[in-house]
Amino acid sequence: SAVISQKPSRDICQRGTSLTIQCQVDSQVTMMFWYRQQPGQSLTLIATANQGSEATYESGFVIDKFPISRPNLTFSTLTVSNLSPEDSSIYLCSVTLRNTGELFFGEGSRLTVL
Amino acid sequence: AQRVTQPEKLLSVFKGAPVELKCNYSYSGSPELFWYVQYSRQRLQLLLRHISRESIKGFTADLNKGETSFHLKKPFAQEEDSAMYYCALRSYSGGGADGLTFGKGTHLIIQP
């Protein structure tokens, strides 16, 4: 299995500010993904974090709003920019293990925007 | 594009009764399907993946390509099974495995 550490676990932010969420994995992974889970909703894939290059975004998500970095194989950040109350969600990091192909999720970062 | 459909938003059964959570998918390629469970105030956990064909906590799921279904079943429900259940599909593109596409989830409530 893998241990995925997400920080912060929760935060309350003001409208118009930005929040950066970190995801650190203790195992060798191939893929890293970011998801959003809005209140009472299912998970929606935001983007695939690519090492050393721009992330691949899903329809409806853009780099200006959700800049993503992945400087190495086991670390990635997601920034949610220019926050509005509609961005209040849980943001989850997910990884695919290199040796087994299994998928694991972090505990999530709960964001509340006032 | 792929799609995962869980027709039941809420399913309530009595303890000891059989449970079936429905999941249908649409995908042009060969699918890889999962069931995830989220207990109250806990992180999302993998319950089953179709390629491993195992039974976890008494749950099983069989991929039916003809009906494009991956229903989750348990013969005798237990109160601790109460949770949100998500069916998910992993697709593959030229660059390798894509992220998961999730269904909207089914809230399973087991009544005593």
Side-chain angles (χ1 to χ4, degrees):
Chain A
S1 66
V3 176
I4 304 173
S5 172
Q6 261 191 255
K7 295 179 181 179
S9 59
R10 59 179 62 233
D11 206 343
I12 300 173
C13 299
Q14 295 295 323
R15 185 194 298 257
T17 62
S18 298
L19 176 71
T20 296
I21 302 166
Q22 298 180 358
C23 177
Q24 176 75 54
V25 190
D26 71 341
S27 307
Q28 289 295 312
V29 301
T30 52
M31 312 294 285
M32 293 184 82
F33 305 95
W34 287 99
Y35 291 82
R36 179 176 71 184
Q37 187 175 24
Q38 293 176 297
Q41 303 293 318
S42 184
L43 284 79
T44 302
L45 179 64
I46 297 172
T48 304
N50 299 310
Q51 185 199 357
S53 64
E54 190 173 293
T56 305
Y57 289 86
E58 298 298 306
S59 175
F61 297 94
V62 295
I63 188 171
D64 290 345
K65 177 67 176 176
F66 298 99
I68 288 171
S69 77
R70 187 180 174 190
N72 58 54
L73 283 174
T74 59
F75 183 79
S76 177
T77 66
L78 166 73
T79 299
V80 189
S81 304
N82 190 23
L83 291 168
S84 68
E86 293 72 34
D87 295 320
S88 297
S89 293
I90 298 173
Y91 293 87
L92 298 104
C93 172
S94 172
V95 304
T96 304
L97 291 191
R98 176 178 293 279
N99 54 351
T100 64
E102 290 180 82
L103 283 154
F104 290 92
F105 282 84
E107 288 189 344
S109 300
R110 182 182 294 271
L111 168 62
T112 302
V113 183
L114 301 178
Chain B
Q2 60 272 12
R3 177 180 286 188
V4 176
T5 303
Q6 292 179 250
E8 302 137 331
K9 196 170 182 178
L10 174 67
L11 181 63
S12 179
V13 302
F14 286 101
K15 177 182 172 182
V19 173
E20 182 178 51
L21 288 81
K22 292 184 167 52
C23 173
N24 289 89
Y25 67 90
S26 64
Y27 179 53
S28 57
S30 185
E32 187 175 359
L33 286 149
F34 305 82
W35 275 100
Y36 282 85
V37 59
Q38 190 168 32
Y39 299 102
S40 179
R41 301 183 184 280
Q42 295 188 27
R43 76 165 72 192
L44 199 66
Q45 302 174 35
L46 176 65
L47 183 61
L48 285 175
R49 53 192 303 202
H50 89 269
I51 60 174
S52 58
R53 300 187 64 82
E54 53 194 348
S55 173
I56 304 294
K57 300 184 179 183
F59 285 97
T60 59
D62 290 317
L63 177 61
N64 186 323
K65 290 187 178 181
E67 296 182 359
T68 60
S69 68
F70 188 57
H71 303 327
L72 183 68
K73 300 177 183 179
K74 184 169 182 176
F76 307 104
Q78 298 171 287
E79 287 187 67
E80 54 265 34
D81 296 329
S82 295
M84 280 295 295
Y85 291 80
Y86 294 98
C87 182
L89 179 150
R90 178 158 65 176
S91 57
Y92 289 81
S93 60
D98 296 335
L100 296 176
T101 300
F102 282 85
K104 291 190 182 299
T106 298
H107 186 189
L108 177 64
I109 297 174
I110 308 300
Q111 299 189 49

